[in-house]
Amino acid sequence: MSKKSKKTEAAAAEDYKSALRGLQVELVKLQRHLIKNNLRILIIFEGRDASGKDGVIKRITEHLSPRDTRVVALGKPSDRDTQSWYFQRYVAELPATREMVLMNRSWYNRAGVEPVMGFCTKAEHEDFLQSVPEFERMLVRSGTQLFKYYLDISKPEQKRRLDDRRVDPLKQWKVSPIDKTALRHWDDYSAARNEMFARSHSDDLPWHVVRADDKKLARLNVIRHLMSRVDCPDKDQHLAQPDGEIVFDYADAHLQSGAIAP
């Protein structure tokens, strides 16, 4: 790499660090406002394997109060969970007053991984898609601010990231048996995602799609978008301006145009 290229790369990294720090200051302002006004926020992150959910969540929570911030990443359901109302184990993780909860995958497992991998029946899948809008409206009516982000990546980028996981000793904990099927079931996951969008997106419960092939741009713009949507009197309006090419609300037209990976 030439000296000029190294300087350009270093400058870009410095710009990212500076932009991220400014946005993390805005998140601290948001948390203070949330605590002061007895609010509660739930942020759902969905996306294909290796889409960058962990990285986005880490940057959001990095400087927030651990007492008032929780990350929820539930594992495989227990036998009792499978015999209970589907939403039951998620209800126990919902934010209390003055809390921000970030879900790394959520009840939308039943709209993606479960039907594709055969972990639920067609009837259970359909029941979920019929029930989830009203379940979420009930949460919103009760005072929970709900944000739903879908991190979208291209097939070549997913392959690159999954290959990297397998050889990077620091990422071994991320490797799962489902990784091996991710690329093979690409089209199945696309079809399940598209049905999830069609059945659970609405003006009052929107899905925000994040183009996440560039991890750093995705992280910055998720935070900008979140700050643009919350009511926080102290926020810097200039910083709360996401790139509409990176984060946008779901629409059928985005599937047709290729803005959402096919």
Side-chain angles (χ1 to χ4, degrees), residues 58-84:
K58 179 180 178 181
R59 272 65 184 188
I60 291 175
T61 60
E62 192 169 10
H63 297 289
L64 297 182
S65 163
R67 228 183 4 236
D68 306 293
T69 312
R70 284 189 297 116
V71 176
V72 175
L74 297 183
K76 181 180 178 181
S78 67
D79 289 342
R80 185 176 186 279
D81 290 331
T82 61
Q83 299 301 316
S84 304

Side-chain angles (χ1 to χ4, degrees), residues 1-7 9:
M1 184 183 292
S2 68
K3 288 184 178 180
K4 184 176 180 181
S5 296
K6 287 182 178 178
K7 286 183 179 179
E9 187 176 287

Side-chain angles (χ1 to χ4, degrees), residues 19 31 36 90 93 115-116 119 125 165 178 180 192 215 217:
Q31 185 163 60
K36 180 180 178 181
Y90 294 102
E93 304 294 343
V116 170
F119 297 157
H125 179 221
R165 277 184 184 180
I178 292 179
K180 297 178 181 179
K215 291 181 178 181
L217 281 179

Side-chain angles (χ1 to χ4, degrees), residues 81-104:
D81 290 331
T82 61
Q83 299 301 316
S84 304
W85 178 47
Y86 177 71
F87 293 100
Q88 188 163 314
R89 71 181 187 136
Y90 294 102
V91 169
E93 304 294 343
L94 292 174
T97 298
R98 297 183 292 178
E99 260 193 335
M100 180 188 295
V101 169
L102 301 92
M103 287 191 173
N104 186 343

Side-chain angles (χ1 to χ4, degrees), residues 152-166:
D152 190 52
I153 56 174
S154 63
K155 192 173 184 179
E157 180 61 15
Q158 186 186 49
K159 182 179 186 305
R160 188 192 68 76
R161 293 184 188 181
L162 291 176
D163 288 345
D164 184 49
R165 277 184 184 180
R166 285 189 281 271

